[in-house]
Amino acid sequence: MSLTEKQSPRILVIDDNQGIHADFRKILFPDRRGKLNDIEKDLFGVPCETAQPLTFEMDSAFQGEEALARVEAALREGRPYCLAFVDVRMPPGWDGVETVTRLWEVAPELQIVLCTAYSDYSWSQMTARLNYSDRLVVLKKPFDTIEVLQLATAMSTKWRLEQRTAKALSETRQRYVKETKQAEDLIREQAALLDLASDAILVRDLSGNVSFWNKAAERLYGYSATDAIGAPLAALLKHEMEVLAATESQLLAYGEWNGELRKRTREGAEVIVNSRWTLLRDDQNRPHSVLIIDTDITEKKKLEAQFLRAQRIESIGTLATGMAHDLNNILAPILMSAGFLRWNLREEEREKAIGRIELSVKRGAEIIQQVLTFGRGIDGERVAVNPGSVVDEISRIISQTFPKNINVEVDNQPGLWSIIGDPTQIHQVLLNLSVNARDAMLNGGTLSVRARNLSLTEPLPALPTPAPAGRYVLFEVSDTGCGIAPADRERIFDPFFTTKEIGKGTGLGLSTALGIVKSHRGVVIVDSEPGRGATFRVYLPASSSAARKQPRQISRVHPPGCGESVLIVDDEPDVLAGMVALLERNNYHPLAARNGEEALALVASHQGPVDAVITDIAMPTMDGVALIRNLQGIKPGLKIIATSGQGTDMNGSLRSQELKLLGVSSFLAKPYGSDELLTALHQLLNGIADTSMLRLVV
């Protein structure tokens, strides 16, 4: 506790000589200062009426022990002494140095003037005992009145300033402690709120290590905060490194990034999240960490996939007339050529008829395969996609199914960059745009589909948001139809908006296309004028990896077998009979079974080895996967070719995953020719790994 500003400073004089105490009172008490005022006026030129000196309270102590008692009592009363004048020699008790030492033990802030005429101590000895201190001044006796007054005034004022400063520091410290506690409480409250959030919120440093992990992140990914903090985020959630590198690049360039990411939980399950990344900076604008907010959209994506599949079926429905026309044209030469084979034909004519049948069957199989691939495509798998292949496949579909008065032109720039995306969804975008172009050319015209590389040096205004600078693959779908009215151009991407007649369209084609493009972080630009056609430009970000090359075509070499026993399982009698005849003719020993149970019984009763199995996947009672599992239990390592009439696009399906787990690496899609079957069997039996001519999916 300190004196108030209105209280007079308290001074303690400690000296064994009573006369010294009287001298101090004459100097310090205001009622005895008339003569001193005159002295001040003579010395400093200060008018007496303007001088407002301090007034003091003075107490006396004649020995060190008495002085200590007074100082302790003053502290208890809350009226401490600010200054003590201490004589050095005070026999028979403590001397001045000892007294000061004892006083400072109880009142460290006490200012000291050490008065001496003769001392048993040198200055170095005194400082060795008392240390150098700004609270200690030495005054030689006999002392001057002005010196005493100046010292009393200066050191009392200094003491008061120190007390005021100490009080301010104490209040500041208390305020700091209070504010720190409030800040800590606020942080705890905010952390509790973050833990209540349904989104996974995490922070990682620039090295990729996790520094914050909320409760929602624990629930979503299965890792506790203890497990996650300090761990590398990419390894924890098994990010795709190429996607992660592109994300990091945009984050550092623009300070933020958002998009869809696929991650893995602790249990290995895949989750799809809408991820928002923000680069956090310090006071000097230097980046130090990344805030990530992940919203689980796995279920939403499943619903979107169902919607997209339904929309694809709608698109296929619009192609039905064209497909029926093409299939009828394919079946006609098959029927005619089959009739020719009953006649007595020359060998050359017979080969031509067989060739026409084979060619027509292949054309029909391609159409069916395209419909299956598009209609049943697996949504959501993001892989490196060759844009040229996508354009070629779409062009084949529209060439075979669109009216013949529409001329289809395709232009793929050589060396197209690859893109990371969902092949089925990219197909859907181009098909939806192509169907719209077809409907705009009721009297025929030209439909152009192009793909080329493009580097943007500055942002490009587009839908749904401007495209940032960077590398893109540009898809263009243009027509020479009726064009789009300016009033309609603002609404063409709205769900259910259509200018077609009732029953001719749902108005979901373009809105679906825009949604897919947005999910691939791409943009769309429309250029159209009434009567002058329309051009839709789709910009999709290019991948840093090179585009995938087309499979190398190799010759189908199938030397005859060496009497190997081959189990054939198929529930279609005609297929089974044809395969038996083919294998017998090529020096194999076929074992035929019409279903899984019959196949197992045949293997159990067969005397001798079974070298390979060719089995259909879709069969009643016991399907092909169950049969393969049972056969491998009986004969581990058995070589197997799986076949199916459900198309080649089985990637991601449950059947495909099961076949992979069972070690089946050869798959033939029906209809397959004798060359394909014999080549696949020869390579399987002889351990030839290069089977790129086969339509493998597992």
Side-chain angles (χ1 to χ4, degrees), residues 396-431:
R396 282 197 295 271
I397 292 176
I398 61 181
S399 295
Q400 292 167 351
T401 59
F402 279 17
K404 300 305 177 185
N405 61 353
I406 293 179
N407 179 41
V408 179
E409 295 181 351
V410 177
D411 181 17
N412 281 332
Q413 175 184 332
L416 285 170
W417 297 323
S418 65
I419 54 181
I420 299 297
D422 182 335
T424 302
Q425 292 187 0
I426 297 173
H427 274 88
Q428 188 167 355
V429 170
L430 295 182
L431 183 59

Side-chain angles (χ1 to χ4, degrees), residues 67-87:
L68 178 61
R70 284 187 174 276
V71 168
E72 290 175 337
L75 290 172
R76 287 194 297 270
E77 294 170 3
R79 299 180 62 246
Y81 293 104
C82 62
L83 172 62
F85 287 91
V86 184
D87 188 22

Side-chain angles (χ1 to χ4, degrees), residues 559-567 583-591 606-612 681 685:
C562 299
E564 294 96 333
S565 295
V566 180
L567 174 62
L583 295 187
E584 285 178 341
R585 188 176 182 84
N586 284 271
N587 200 28
Y588 291 100
H589 177 53
L591 305 171
H606 178 67
Q607 300 296 320
V610 175
D611 299 294
L681 184 57
L685 290 171

Side-chain angles (χ1 to χ4, degrees), residues 332-342 345 352-354 356-357:
I334 293 175
L335 289 174
M336 288 187 290
S337 298
F340 291 159
L341 293 177
R342 292 192 177 93
L345 300 176
K352 287 182 179 179
I354 293 173
R356 284 195 297 271
I357 292 174

Side-chain angles (χ1 to χ4, degrees), residues 568-572 575-576 593-595 616 619 643 670:
I568 307 167
V569 190
D570 201 298
D571 60 329
E572 288 290 337
V575 174
L576 192 62
R594 293 168 296 181
N595 53 57
D616 189 24
M619 296 186 296
T643 73
K670 296 177 180 179

